[in-house]
Amino acid sequence: MSTVTNEKTNRGGFKLSDYQGLPSTLCKGCGHDNITRNIVQAYYELGLEPHNVVKTSGIGCSSKTPAYFVHRGYGLNSVHGRMPSVSVGAKLANHHLQVIGVSGDGDTASIGMGQFCHLVRRNVDMVYVVENNGVYGLTKGQFSATSERGAKSKIGEVNEFTDIDLCALTITLGGTFVARGFSNDAKQMLALIKASVAHRGTAMLDVISPCVTFNNHEGSTKSIHYVMEHDIKLNELGFVSPWEQPTAEIKPGEAVEIPLPDGSHLIVRGVNNNHDPHDKFAALQLLEESRKKGEILTGLIYIAEKERDLNTAMRVNNPKTMAQMDEADCRPPKEAFEKYLNGFR
Amino acid sequence: MSTVTNEKTNRGGFKLSDYQGLPSTLCKGCGHDNITRNIVQAYYELGLEPHNVVKTSGIGCSSKTPAYFVHRGYGLNSVHGRMPSVSVGAKLANHHLQVIGVSGDGDTASIGMGQFCHLVRRNVDMVYVVENNGVYGLTKGQFSATSERGAKSKIGEVNEFTDIDLCALTITLGGTFVARGFSNDAKQMLALIKASVAHRGTAMLDVISPCVTFNNHEGSTKSIHYVMEHDIKLNELGFVSPWEQPTAEIKPGEAVEIPLPDGSHLIVRGVNNNHDPHDKFAALQLLEESRKKGEILTGLIYIAEKERDLNTAMRVNNPKTMAQMDEADCRPPKEAFEKYLNGFR
Amino acid sequence: MNPPPETLTASQPSTPLQLTVNDLSIEAATVNGTGSQSANNILAKSLFRMGIPMAAKNLFPSNIQGLPTWFTIRASKHGYTARKKELDWLIGMNPTTWEKDVANLRPGAVVMWNSNELSDAPVKARGDLIAYPIPMNDCIKGVAADAKLKKMLVNMVYVGAVTHLLGIEEEVVLKVIADQFKSKQKAVEINVACLRAGMEYAKASLPKKDPYRVERMDANGNKILIEGNTIAALGCLMGGVTVMGWYPITPSSSLAEALIALAKKHRVDAANHTIRFADVQCEDELASIGLVLGAGWAGARSMTTTAGPGISLMSEFVGLGYYAELPGVIFDVQRVGPSTGLPTRTAQGDVLAAAFCSHGDTEHLVLHPCSPEECYEFARISFDYAERYQTPVFVLLDLDLGMNFWMCEPPSYTTEAFDRGKVLSPAKLDELKAAGKKWGRYLDMDGDGIPWRPLPGNPHPDAAYFTRGSGHDEYARYSEDPEVYRRNLDRLRKKIEGSRTTLPQPVLETVPGAKVGILAYGSTNNAMREARDQLAAAGVKSDYLRIRATPLATAAVEKFFKEHERVYIVEQNRDGQMELMIRQVLTTPGAVDKIRPVRHYTGFPIDARTISDGVLAGEGKR
Amino acid sequence: MNPPPETLTASQPSTPLQLTVNDLSIEAATVNGTGSQSANNILAKSLFRMGIPMAAKNLFPSNIQGLPTWFTIRASKHGYTARKKELDWLIGMNPTTWEKDVANLRPGAVVMWNSNELSDAPVKARGDLIAYPIPMNDCIKGVAADAKLKKMLVNMVYVGAVTHLLGIEEEVVLKVIADQFKSKQKAVEINVACLRAGMEYAKASLPKKDPYRVERMDANGNKILIEGNTIAALGCLMGGVTVMGWYPITPSSSLAEALIALAKKHRVDAANHTIRFADVQCEDELASIGLVLGAGWAGARSMTTTAGPGISLMSEFVGLGYYAELPGVIFDVQRVGPSTGLPTRTAQGDVLAAAFCSHGDTEHLVLHPCSPEECYEFARISFDYAERYQTPVFVLLDLDLGMNFWMCEPPSYTTEAFDRGKVLSPAKLDELKAAGKKWGRYLDMDGDGIPWRPLPGNPHPDAAYFTRGSGHDEYARYSEDPEVYRRNLDRLRKKIEGSRTTLPQPVLETVPGAKVGILAYGSTNNAMREARDQLAAAGVKSDYLRIRATPLATAAVEKFFKEHERVYIVEQNRDGQMELMIRQVLTTPGAVDKIRPVRHYTGFPIDARTISDGVLAGEGKR
Ligand SMILES: Cc1ncc(C[n+]2csc(CCOP(=O)(O)OP(=O)(O)O)c2C)c(N)n1
Ligand SMILES: Cc1ncc(C[n+]2csc(CCOP(=O)(O)OP(=O)(O)O)c2C)c(N)n1
Ligand code: SF4
Ligand code: SF4
Ligand SMILES: [Mg+2]
Ligand SMILES: [Mg+2]
């Protein structure tokens, strides 16, 4: 928590420090800390009410990070791999909450695989960040399921298994917002985080986030150096809040402008391509091709901004939340109660 | 167990009844029983040694079926959704075993999602049959995760969630053999089962298998009637055992002939297309397109017959199995033992 | 107290027949998936509406269609409602079990069967049975064309025959049929036709040979006939549950499904079409419990329904609930374990699994309802306990209680306010501040071990906090400090210990001069009155302490041990799970030496005779 | 017995100094991820090689880099190896804990610190400490350029200073360094340079003010210095494990990793390059245990490694293992629960979770090793138990035992044959047949409740069977029959009961005339000799019963209770988990009244004083 005085405030009247958290206890240089910084910045710029921010996570170095941002929000650090389910519970209990879940590649793609797939399928309205470093950081460097076949571990072992591409997986499962970022690319990440928040549904951000302690060596396919060399930007992103003016006019064919439910706009400009992120099939193709080439494709890969989210599908969106329901909301009138019982005579 | 005398025997000297099991206790007309019949027939024709057949399953009507075939094989009916892990264990313990796992859509796509994904990723050498009826049969008809959005349940509820397409999912996860069958189409299934056995790696058979009791009504997208109407055959399949002669000469371009590791051949003849089942990307595209059209694509969708299976990758393929290892196999010589301890002085 | 009637009828010679009014158990042996359930319900409900105390049980297989099922109705003017060990009247409909069903009958019992399908031979071979063969298929020949429908309707023939032979009032049966099929006039007609066919056949061809009769009584008053799961669902509705995550599993699914149906009717907001109840059929039990705890954390009253295998899977999360102090209610409708066990049979096998769920030092609040009345009540108040103690609360039903039909006093409409426990509002936080008290999420401010919790969204600048399953101090800050850890664990124990006196207290029933104590809980209660009557008849006076929750009300249990020479602990499990919990707390010297276990674990509900025999054996009277 | 030395040094005034030889505890307070582990190991190993009894503990955070870590070495000529409650010698290296570290010191303790990084103030403020400030950064200025390397090497300075001040033999340290870095000559040189810098500085600038000295002894004989996990892995190798499924979790990962390393060396088939060991790092614990049971079922000796959260997740599967009778070994290296708890601290918190793992009536075999010797031995024979009893076997280590360094008699090379239990070969099946005996997979043919099992692949036409977690009869056929179910459950109990006399039996240590009994298990043993010496010095004679497994050896426990007036049960958990298991079996009247609990649950390993104080309090002497 910084204690800067005379700090500037955002539109919501909150200071940057309201979005910060405790000092990080991660290793110096850990990619996860960069992501934390960008979340702080994005949330500040979006002007979210910090006390309505709910931060969920599983277990791992990545899952510790919710303690390092938005200290005025509420954190629920659950058990390993189960961030999705507690997030769904919280969102159903109070759909006004702005839920962000942070997970790791071990947390999501190994033990949490089942919950992850089903969260995506339900399109729960939340931001889902996977801080993907290809290893289990907190347990000291074992391969995770997103580690590429042939990758070398710090102690020299070679990974024998094909990696799971979380972006392709999410699209296949019917996900509605799929993007990949890199912890060292703040600009891209900032736009992605903002768009994730504005999106109504599950926004899956697969952020490659090097583990400087256990997976930053020669032979690693998730080292800072390797990712820098292999990062291919799919698109340039511009996020325009409802109260902002787009900086430049968009010529047709040059970019896709996507209006998001909260009134903001996302401007997607293909880099050497004209990929429309609404095209599911093209998205899968791009992923598969870049994969074959050994590239790491980053940017907004796929979006379906008009799909219903879970609360809407279930009609759990009364302004009065489940958490606020009282006796009158919950109990049928006496007559209805008696009538029901009468059916058992 | 039939008690027919003078029964014909197959090349292995076994009778058809050696591949049969106890009488089924499933509902009359259940799709699962058709699948059982085809497994019996295929295994008989392949001449497998029944005592080397291992049948694993989870929990559900589908998971009961291993009791109904190959009574001279060994069955392990485990817990709900965990058939994959016990199968891996058995296969590592004894790689001579011919493992077939039977699961349901609930068992695989809900509770078993995580284990399923990771089994596929490891390419464990086994046949994996999902008897897919879109509902939880044994618990009386709740929707499963393979039930299409908009499908109606027997009690009139409408499914609000997108279905999980197990074929697309398996391909995305790096699966090496992906096929879809229909319990009423014996011919196709017979070829698919045989090819699955011959394949070295995880052969995933997603068999649409109507639940006549809970999901065979109007409005269901997995009723016998509905599937019959929407079944689109991707290809005609011919399976040729090592000791058989292909029935017809294949002209180039007309069909793909795939040699399998045990010496058998699979002949794949596209129906109104020339889909090469080695083309991962085309396979995904076909699935996505048929899905959009509301069709149910059946046949061999994808195969990568040259990938290493788990035992090979791990070099766990000594002719003497793990189950047979004795003291001499397991213990280093005394000198090595003492030397090792000496390192701690 | 009345003399134990089972002894009378059981030892009764087959001739001369002594008239037995309103006291018998009938069992229909059928095949599942053939629609016999509807006919059986009609029979059961008719007896109930005649004002005769009764209960009905469905003994079904873990299978959908084609396997044996038995439906048993016990009518008892004495109000005994447990399973009776021996049957008075068998209705044979299932060829596969027919021989065994007949062989199992006590001497002189009544047997009625479909002679079109089952052979007379087993009955003839015995010779001692009162036989009522009925060609049921023939009886309904003209009634329906469809073969499947016929298979269902044939069951109405025995309902008709029994109606005639026992003297059930025809108008009552007709009304029950009309109510059952409601607006479906066609169904009513066809069922009545089959009923009549059975009645006619009995009138014409079955001269009364058995001693049983039923007569209108007025014992049922205002009661309803209901399954424990169904009324528990109503308790949940009234208790204010708003979020449910569940995964189907026998025998708990019907609780969830009943609640969903109730919510569809009573929780829809007419104004904006929203629903004041969120239910997710989850992908598995790990997800259900996660959803429940996430929702409870965020302030909703939340619950899940499951059975043993689900409890095992939920273990890790339940530990988080205990340690991070998250409310949530877990309904465990117990079935027979271990493992998959007998999924459609009953047991009290999860007593320990629930109480000590998860690794490390934990102890959870567990409610043990014994009747539909308590199913309603405990379901309703479980949400209060969960929020008051900020911890997972288990409600343990069992298959017998949850899925069988029991008579029940209708619950009176609840007007009690929810007890939401120490929810920290912005105002309360200001108030504390003004009083100079520093609040901490895990700080014991009131000496009861229970801290105050703000709900996410609370905008007070001091309210936000971070919840975790790892070590934390009074202010929810991460800590590995050994003393902080111990302090927190001691506070948690204090908090849970406090529940010993606030959870539903044991119920004591005494008779003057009893030296024998019997301790039981849950559905076993249904056999207790009968068992104690049997004991009294055999000269053993007994007092009865019924446990309703753990952590145990230590004082009451100690007192019970002090006041009795021997204490029989009756359980429906093999290993004496409640006994172990009692051994844990008993400190009176010599108390544990008084323990005598009576255990039943076959998957069938316990019967009175098993209890009284157990006690009599212990008393040296057998 | 020797007088309790802790009391001596603890109450010793800071002056005049009394020479204390081979008896002190040193602690280096560092930051994790800075490489201090290497320096600390060198120091510890040097003391060990001087023949002085010692043990070393690493108290580390659940974090990778930048948080406080403490490494403690206890050297004791008496052979006491448990944690000492009070420290004799602090080495301060971590600015964040410096003040607190100093404040916590007992009066007159020694403190050495890096004066380039830490302020003198806290030491000055106290005034009573023996102070050795060292400008460690300055000492190694010329040695290394790289900043990160420097941070590591600075720790060698204190090793040097301590070496000089305590009188550790220089050649010993040099040899240890050489061994540690083996072929890396450069590393050896640079470390030696830093060591020398520390020695020089001490020689030049730190006149000896403290009373401690070490001298060569010959107490360690042939012993090795090893972590429990490492030697347990060797036990597994020798026990014949061939399949492992595991999921990383502290503090168990190093067991799995040590085994993998061993297998890479000793299980590779030179002829065909295959490996005689299959290990899968699974996607989670549900998969690991599934893999283990699948492999065990198919005939391999299989195992997994985990900690509390994993045990919770494995619960459902463990129930299957019990009920379907599948062998497999589960190593639970216990850490502090509940929930995530303190993942890098020690506890005995899973005693109950392991013993009664899963819903329904279950009881599992649990081994409680207390030392590296037993870690080896129990690991090795656990596979025999698993196969003999055809059931999951738990081996419960804890973090203290598993991850800390202990002296240990080297195990002698095992030549014992595997006990594969009742594996039914085709020949044996023929033999039974010839003898007219019908075999059934779950038939008790030998009266011990243990059935015969064929392995999949067995070609005998009668051998195949179907394994399930649902009800089954003696011939492995599906059954819902109540009597079949009960019979099976009774046999299972009989089988497990049989293990009471075959599992490792309790170890009894007595002194003449003791009326007080102490009962403990697992790593607590390491503090017991010292605690009993302390008690003896305070006039309390005590006998000691060490539990080594559950189900308990009932007779031995009963006897111990009979022969003592009070029995102190020492546990490293809050709720008395072993006590509960004892209460479950004690039948001697009055026995339970003798129970006196001594419980320690801070996450730190228990120390002798906590035990002796607990007993003295109970004896009214405190
Ligand atoms: C049930 C359970 N199993 C194992 C662990 C041990 N564990 C803690 S973090 C972790 C892996 C974390 O990897 P990842 O999610 O990739 O996070 P990272 O540390 O790399 O950011 C594991 C296996 C645990 N906490 N809980
Ligand atoms: C842990 C656990 N949860 C729930 C159940 C209850 N259950 C039994 S079968 C089943 C679903 C089966 O569905 P599916 O796999 O599709 O098989 P089907 O019966 O449709 O063939 C469920 C939920 C269980 N046995 N175990
Ligand atoms: S171990 Fe890796 S993932 Fe964990 S904090 Fe350090 S750098 Fe980050
Ligand atoms: S319920 Fe459905 S899936 Fe189960 S046996 Fe019957 S038809 Fe088959
Ligand atoms: Mg990671
Ligand atoms: Mg299904």
Side-chain angles (χ1 to χ4, degrees), chain A residues 104-106 131 133-137:
Chain A
D105 43 328
E131 304 191 341
N133 54 17
V135 288
Y136 292 4

Side-chain angles (χ1 to χ4, degrees), chain A residues 29-158:
Chain A
C30 176
H32 302 351
D33 280 337
N34 292 335
I35 302 175
T36 297
R37 265 190 289 279
N38 286 302
I39 293 171
V40 170
Q41 189 64 31
Y43 277 44
Y44 170 70
E45 292 180 9
L46 287 171
L48 298 179
E49 291 183 320
H51 53 270
N52 275 329
V53 172
V54 152
K55 312 165 293 178
T56 55
S57 63
I59 301 283
C61 295
S62 33
S63 291
K64 286 180 176 186
T65 64
Y68 312 145
F69 61 83
V70 197
H71 75 275
R72 287 204 43 201
Y74 292 78
L76 177 49
N77 180 200
S78 66
V79 287
H80 194 25
R82 318 294 174 199
M83 173 270 270
S85 59
V86 297
S87 304
V88 180
K91 188 74 189 177
L92 291 175
N94 180 350
H95 58 94
H96 303 316
L97 297 172
Q98 177 65 51
V99 180
I100 176 168
V102 180
S103 179
D105 43 328
D107 200 61
T108 284
S110 291
I111 191 169
M113 192 54 145
Q115 296 214 337
F116 171 70
C117 294
H118 285 270
L119 180 91
V120 166
R121 186 175 162 252
R122 295 198 182 97
N123 203 26
V124 181
D125 184 23
M126 66 180 289
V127 179
Y128 191 113
V129 183
V130 184
E131 304 191 341
N132 187 347
N133 54 17
V135 288
Y136 292 4
L138 193 54
T139 54
K140 309 206 157 183
Q142 299 86 359
F143 287 124
S144 82
T146 66
S147 188
E148 279 86 0
R149 181 154 154 192
K152 271 213 188 77
S153 81
K154 197 176 181 183
I155 56 167
E157 279 171 358
V158 175

Side-chain angles (χ1 to χ4, degrees), chain B residues 104-106 131 133-137:
Chain B
D105 42 328
E131 305 191 341
N133 54 18
V135 288
Y136 291 6

